[in-house]
Amino acid sequence: MHASNSFTEIFLKHMLLGLQNGVASKNMSFLQRKRAIKLTADVAMAFAKDGAKWSHALIMNLSKKTENRTLLRSILGREYERLTKPCLSWKMPRAKKILQRSFKMHSRIKKGARQLRGVNAASVRAGAAVTRTKVLKRLVPGGEHLDDSSLLEETLDYVISLRAQVDLMHLLVKALDVPNPNLCNKGESGEFLF
Amino acid sequence: MVRWLVAPPSDLSVLDPQRGCLNGQQQHQQQLAHIGYVVPHTTSMQSFHSPNDDKRSRNISYIHDQIGDHGNGWPNLAGTKYLTIGAATTGEEEKSIKEQSDNSRKRKAENISHQKVGCGNTAEDGKKHKRVKEDRVRGGETAAKESPRANNKREASGDASKENVEPPKTDYIHVRARRGQATDSHSLAERVRRERISERMKYLQELVPGCNNITGKAGILDQIINYVQSLQRQVEFLSMNLAAVNPRLDFDIDHFFNREINVACNSGVMPVTDMSSEQLDPSYVQFTCLHPTSACCGLDMAMDSSDIVLHRTMSLPASVPGPILDSSLNVITSKTMFMKFIKMREWSKSSSHLPLVTFKGHFQVHGSSSSWNTGLQNLYGVEVLQGRGPAFPFQSLQGDILPCNLEMEM
């Protein structure tokens, strides 16, 4: 499973745009530069994949800090307003939240009753998966409000795009790195798999 | 009246004892009159014996759900027979009999029949029926051998294609109760949900390298979490690398874009594309021109001197960490990337079809990981000496601790 060509094209284009605007020929400290580069990379990645929930969530998270906003605006251009407006459709409606809360309480009560019977392997296994799901929810942007199956779907998408991002940045580093005449660069070829 | 299926005698032998109890339901079935009223098997027959509307309606389950688009990847249920009773027309019945052995064609029959289901559905949207399609009845001798799962007919894909033809407002998933399991609506819904999750876990298992041999949700989730974390860390590393590479770089976007896009696109189309060196040379030339014009940032000097340091350590004739790397890496590109590359290769080693970046050609690595650590310590030591102390929170440079330090910033 690899990211599509159009995804990487848009990604690269916006990344370079952002780098040009935000980073090049600006007097910044190393850390600031690094943060700016990471920001452009993330925004470009999220923008290139506009159909997924995590992308929207990522842009929203990034736009919450005020110092990022100028850079975001420069990269996103016209889409900035649309993407940073909090979209209610993917946030759970209140009724569902109440239902989920009551369901959790109910299951907690049931678990309390079950504990009298002792711990069995199945419950331990289930508990392990639950804790890990919580960790995964924190990792994937926008994952807190998702249920299990859509969380897995979003992770799938996110992993693919992350991989593409890493590959692309590798390529950038490799291309921008000043070649040292001491080292053999001849005959090197790269295979870039998306 | 519902017409009975003209089934081959071997199947009918299974049907006969159960036909009697079905007759009473024919009137009810008539309204629905659609595919899927397969013979109920023995264990769930009790529910049919008391034909009141509740039980009947419970046996018809439309589970409202939003179907994500997954297109491919439904399990191959080849070899299982599919028997339908109560099809609207004999023509359909015969078609469905003929296509019993072929799984993919069977789905088409379902699709066509589902169109009629769709027509019927709109009339009955008000009622919330539950419709349970019973197991496929196989020839007796094979039924015992097959696991219950193989008998399960998954019709969500049929639904998905049905949606294209006739999109109702809500998506229905037609679920079949498995042999020997409850036909309760809750358990059915749960089973659908569980199967979805397991299907997605399978996809993720393919995607994340190194978890092919791991079974169990927790282990796979573990691997996924590790992989996502390592990818995020790599992004951090790379952004740091990019920041360090050339501080005053003027990105000539058109020039760069055309080349890189051509390279990337061509590589995407033809995975084995050699980036010939002359393609890169002009870009190198361009950036080398800019390099001397850039201000003598202390970082540049640090990087250069650290290069020298690195090469000194690199020339140590130590053995390549064989099991970790299948191909060797170019030294220059890997200042901070080497550790990431090791990680990457560890990841990609286990699954040969998912390498992130593979480099062919002249690459050589020298030095074992311990000498790398000392080399990198020297690297950052030099930088610290250059007076950028507070900028680098690196204290020690083992592969694990380095990302932890970065996480402090994250």
Side-chain angles (χ1 to χ4, degrees), chain A residues 8 19 46 63 109 194:
Chain A
T8 41
L19 285 176
S63 67
I109 292 170
F194 283 131

Side-chain angles (χ1 to χ4, degrees), chain A residues 20 24 27 30-31 33-34 38 132 149 153 158 163 165-166 170 172 174 177-178 183 188-191, chain B residues 200 207 218 222 227 232 234 236 243 246-247 249 251 256 271 273 284 332 337 356 358-360 409:
Chain A
Q20 204 176 29
N27 218 341
F30 178 73
L31 269 188
R33 170 171 271 111
K34 179 201 121 185
K38 179 162 192 280
R132 286 173 176 86
S149 59
E153 197 182 335
Y158 187 52
R163 226 202 263 176
Q165 184 185 32
V166 164
H170 266 306
L172 272 181
K174 192 146 175 36
D177 205 3
V178 179
L183 299 158
E188 89 188 20
S189 52
E191 187 182 284
Chain B
R200 284 169 194 183
L207 194 64
D222 244 351
Y227 191 54
Q232 285 174 341
Q234 282 181 29
E236 286 271 338
N246 257 315
L249 204 55
F251 292 85
F256 190 66
T273 316
Y284 279 130
I332 181 60
M337 274 161 59
L356 295 183
T358 60
F359 286 94
K360 298 184 263 184
E409 288 181 36

